[in-house]
């Protein structure tokens, strides 16, 4: 999901501007949010020569303001990912007939506090973030089961849950995001028209 941001950082680096993820997230958190939205699944974002140009073109095509700072690009990407998650969760609930109450984010994305809060707000669901070293812990869980240290995958997960901290993000302003959901869906549909 953060492919777009990685590509933007490369484009800025080529232009002589280098930003750490921490710097970008801090600056993006100060942006008003939901100013411009892009469909992260649009084919134009797969392998562009310059991601910022691809975002600019999408915004122009959908009659939105173009981001004007790295922080504004970062915020547009995070807001768009969060709204995309909203639609994916909605579709999963529709397909399964079950309500999803929590979203669990593991791996490196669990450290992105702004994206996790945006996801909680956009989906109206609680986000539980962590652990960040999910791959290594998955291997440990399999080894615990194989050696008999735990009797089941559920027990291994329980040990990991008790051993590694998580952060919880509760929705703070889901109504604001709900008002923008139709706009986002419209942009996604325009992109494929």
């Amino acid at each position: 999901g953060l492919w777009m941001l990685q590509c933007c950082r490369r484009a800025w680096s080529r232009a002589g501007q280098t930003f750490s993820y921490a710097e970008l997230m801090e600056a993006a958190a100060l942006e008003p949010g939901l100013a411009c939205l892009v469909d992260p699944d649009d084919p134009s974002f797969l392998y562009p020569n310059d991601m910022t140009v691809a975002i600019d073109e999408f915004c122009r095509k959908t009659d939105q303001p173009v981001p004007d700072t790295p922080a504004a690009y970062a915020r547009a990407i995070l807001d768009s990912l969060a709204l995309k998650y909203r639609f994916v969760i909605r579709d999963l609930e529709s397909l399964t007939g079950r309500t999803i109450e929590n979203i669990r984010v593991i791996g490196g994305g669990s450290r992105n506090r702004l994206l996790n809060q945006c996801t909680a707000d956009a989906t109206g669901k609680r986000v539980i973030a962590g652990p960040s070293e999910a791959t290594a812990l998955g291997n440990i869980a399999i080894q615990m089961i194989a050696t008999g240290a735990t009797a089941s995958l559920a027990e291994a997960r329980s040990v990991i849950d008790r051993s590694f901290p998580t952060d919880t993000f509760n929705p703070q302003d889901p109504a604001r995001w709900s008002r923008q959901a139709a706009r986002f869906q419209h942009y996604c549909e325009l992109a494929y028209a």
Side-chain angles (χ1 to χ4, degrees), residues 72-129:
Y73 281 97
R75 186 59 190 250
I77 291 166
L78 298 181
D79 290 348
S80 299
L81 286 171
L83 282 165
K84 188 58 110 170
Y85 301 157
R86 173 192 179 102
F87 288 102
V88 169
I89 295 291
R90 177 204 62 195
D91 292 347
L92 286 171
E93 288 177 333
S94 176
L95 286 169
T96 64
R98 297 175 59 191
T99 300
I100 296 171
E101 295 179 17
N102 299 310
I103 299 169
R104 184 75 182 249
V105 179
I106 58 173
S110 68
R111 293 187 297 242
N112 191 320
R113 298 185 63 77
L114 180 56
L115 179 56
N116 291 329
Q117 187 59 59
C118 288
T119 300
D121 292 343
T123 63
K125 312 280 185 188
R126 181 174 52 194
V127 172
I128 302 166

Side-chain angles (χ1 to χ4, degrees), residues 130-187:
S132 61
E133 299 302 329
T135 302
L137 293 173
N139 287 333
I140 290 170
I142 297 302
Q143 290 177 34
M144 289 187 319
I145 295 166
T147 62
T150 60
S152 66
L153 180 58
E155 187 179 342
R157 285 181 177 161
S158 178
V159 169
I160 290 170
D161 281 343
R162 288 191 313 271
S163 303
F164 295 91
T166 59
D167 288 319
T168 301
F169 299 85
N170 292 303
Q172 294 179 355
D173 193 2
R176 177 176 178 242
W177 288 77
S178 289
R179 289 189 300 271
Q180 298 302 319
R183 181 178 140 227
F184 176 75
Q185 185 168 3
H186 175 71
Y187 295 149

Side-chain angles (χ1 to χ4, degrees), residues 2-10 12 18-28 74 78 111-112 114:
L2 293 173
W3 159 256
M4 294 175 71
L5 189 56
Q6 291 170 350
C7 291
C8 285
R9 287 181 69 217
R10 277 196 290 272
W12 296 322
T18 304
F19 304 98
S20 70
Y21 276 111
E23 290 170 325
L24 276 174
M25 292 307 101
E26 187 175 316
L78 298 181
R111 293 187 297 242
N112 191 320
L114 180 56

